[in-house]
Amino acid sequence: MPMDANEIERRIKTALPDATIEIRDLAGDGDHYAATVISEAFRGKSRVQQHQLVYAALQGDMGGALHALALQTNVPD
C-alpha cells in the first residue's frame, strides 16, 4: 500500500521536529512525491547527508511503500 503525504510529513517531523515541510504528489497516484524540507539540523551537512537524514526518517520505506521522492533540502534563512 502506498504511503500518503500525511504519513511522510509525520515521519519527517518526528525525526526533525523543527522542519518546515512541503509535499507535492507529482503524479496524482499517491506513489510519486516531491518534498522540500527546511531544518536547522541540516546546517553544516552536505546535501547527501541532509538527504540521508530525511531517508532515515522514512524508516526504510523508501523504494517500498514510498516508490519515489524528489527531495530538496535546505537550512532556514
Side-chain angles (χ1 to χ4, degrees):
M1 179 157 84
M3 186 181 300
D4 70 17
N6 291 331
E7 179 64 11
I8 296 168
E9 183 171 354
R10 186 191 69 73
R11 289 186 187 191
I12 294 170
K13 272 289 203 189
T14 297
L16 303 166
D18 74 315
T20 300
I21 304 164
E22 178 187 336
I23 299 176
R24 297 167 308 285
D25 187 338
L26 296 176
D29 61 1
D31 214 21
H32 297 81
Y33 292 97
T36 301
V37 182
I38 299 171
S39 174
E40 189 60 42
F42 298 149
R43 192 170 302 279
K45 293 184 173 41
S46 71
R47 188 75 58 196
V48 169
Q49 290 170 320
Q50 293 173 18
H51 288 204
Q52 286 172 334
L53 285 173
V54 175
Y55 292 143
L58 298 172
Q59 304 166 347
D61 282 328
M62 191 66 222
L66 179 57
H67 178 72
L69 180 65
L71 193 54
Q72 292 182 345
T73 54
N74 214 329
V75 295
D77 290 332

